[in-house]
């Protein structure tokens, strides 16, 4: 039957009440959890003293690493200065 409040037919058979919207990640984006499970280098592999390569900054050395899991961050010294990265999202390659 018609919805008595709006005069319209119901658009869903879902029960009334709160409905949770579920959205997929936008195209091209990956969650940290998926990245960690993808077989990529473990975030624990990034340690102070190791050399890394970044597409924008070039080669650098890891100064320190803090945090755990997807919140693990590293301070890296490049020729252009020091940059801090969230490792789960950084485009870094270990080179030594």
């Amino acid at each position: 039957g018609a919805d008595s409040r709006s005069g319209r037919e119901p658009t869903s058979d879902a029960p009334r009440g709160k409905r949770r919207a579920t959205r997929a990640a936008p195209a091209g984006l990956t969650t940290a959890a998926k990245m960690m499970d993808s077989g990529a280098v473990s975030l624990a592999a990034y340690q102070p003293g190791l050399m890394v390569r970044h597409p924008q900054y070039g080669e650098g050395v890891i100064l320190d690493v803090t945090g755990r899991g997807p919140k693990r961050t590293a301070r890296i010294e490049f020729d252009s200065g020091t940059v801090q990265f969230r490792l789960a999202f950084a485009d870094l390659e270990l080179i030594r």
Side-chain angles (χ1 to χ4, degrees):
D3 184 329
S4 61
R5 290 176 293 195
S6 68
R8 292 181 288 164
E9 290 292 320
T11 57
S12 170
D13 291 332
R16 294 226 183 268
K18 292 185 181 180
R19 294 183 188 159
R20 282 184 73 164
T22 56
R23 283 188 265 171
L29 294 180
T30 303
T31 65
K34 284 183 182 178
M35 291 173 74
M36 291 171 59
D37 291 339
S38 71
V41 174
S42 166
L43 299 181
Y46 294 91
Q47 297 294 323
L50 293 179
M51 296 289 295
V52 294
R53 182 176 294 120
H54 185 272
Q56 180 179 345
Y57 298 103
E59 292 184 5
V61 63
I62 299 174
L63 300 176
D64 57 51
V65 180
T66 58
R68 292 172 28 176
K71 293 186 177 183
R72 190 168 177 85
T73 60
R75 263 187 342 119
I76 302 173
E77 181 69 36
F78 296 98
D79 289 339
S80 60
T82 303
V83 180
Q84 185 165 321
F85 292 95
R86 178 83 54 99
L87 291 173
F89 302 104
D91 190 5
L92 293 170
E93 174 188 355
L94 285 172
I95 55 177
R96 290 187 264 222

